[in-house]
Amino acid sequence: MSFGRTISLVDFSGVVLAGGKSRRFGSDKARFVYNGKPMMQWVLDSFEGASERFIVANQRYEFNVPVYADVISSHTPLSGIHSALFHAKHDWVVVAACDMPYLTTHYWQTLQEYCHDTKAVVVESGFGLEPLAAFYHRSLVWTIETALKQEQKAVHLFLESIDKTVIKVESLNLPNNTFLNVNRLEDIN
């Protein structure tokens, strides 16, 4: 009996990547207030079931969670994923971009069901794989470190090289805006 408590299938760390410069947006997207709270907070709140939450960014943020800089500073999403895995306390790590305010707790709970016999769980949408809304196993930290040291910076190329579970978006019954990545102010208006 759960007595109103959500029972997690696996303990996981929830990590927001906030490494971009927000040039197209015109100001820091992570701090932009959307529907009453900063976009970064929407993503952090989606990690309701996480045992720990933190931010990977090369600048300071005040969101009442730890902030870690890139361990290997290539200023790419792959180096952010590496840092997330490096600092995480749990074997499974949720990684999300700070500009994806429509990710939900339900989304992460659904993906969590696939966290077995694989190194990553990633959704394939109509735009391709969604690597910044995915689960990664912490054992990938050294594989990513090797890739970064060999100047491999593309997350999609890295994903092609690892054992992963790919879930077709059609099987998840998600709202159309789930993977909206806000690059311009007009993307959310």
Side-chain angles (χ1 to χ4, degrees), residues 92 111 114-115 118-123 133-136 164-165 167:
W92 283 102
L111 264 60
Y114 296 88
C115 290
T118 191
K119 298 293 182 185
V121 178
V122 61
V123 172
F135 270 90
Y136 294 90
K164 64 193 165 297
T165 298
I167 306 164

Side-chain angles (χ1 to χ4, degrees), residues 124-166:
E124 184 175 17
S125 72
F127 300 102
L129 295 179
E130 297 290 345
L132 298 183
F135 270 90
Y136 294 90
H137 196 272
R138 194 170 56 168
S139 63
L140 288 171
V141 69
W142 306 117
T143 308
I144 296 174
E145 186 167 319
T146 299
L148 289 169
K149 287 180 178 177
Q150 294 173 350
E151 297 295 315
Q152 179 183 338
K153 298 178 181 179
V155 177
H156 285 87
L157 291 177
F158 176 75
L159 280 173
E160 288 176 14
S161 71
I162 65 167
D163 178 35
K164 64 193 165 297
T165 298
V166 176

Side-chain angles (χ1 to χ4, degrees), residues 19-95:
K21 299 204 182 326
S22 302
R23 282 185 206 105
R24 290 175 284 176
F25 195 78
S27 63
D28 187 351
K29 293 186 280 187
R31 291 184 174 104
F32 179 78
V33 176
Y34 171 68
N35 281 347
K37 58 186 172 182
M39 269 202 280
M40 174 93 75
Q41 193 64 56
W42 284 103
V43 181
L44 285 166
D45 289 351
S46 76
F47 301 152
E48 184 179 296
S51 300
E52 80 168 327
R53 300 179 314 158
F54 62 89
I55 297 166
V56 171
N58 291 315
Q59 63 177 301
R60 294 185 51 78
Y61 284 102
E62 300 298 330
F63 285 94
N64 296 316
V65 296
V67 179
Y68 300 106
D70 283 340
V71 174
I72 298 175
S73 201
S74 72
H75 302 288
T76 64
L78 190 58
S79 66
I81 294 168
H82 172 264
S83 296
L85 299 177
F86 182 87
H87 291 290
K89 294 177 183 171
H90 299 288
D91 286 339
W92 283 102
V93 182
V94 164
V95 175

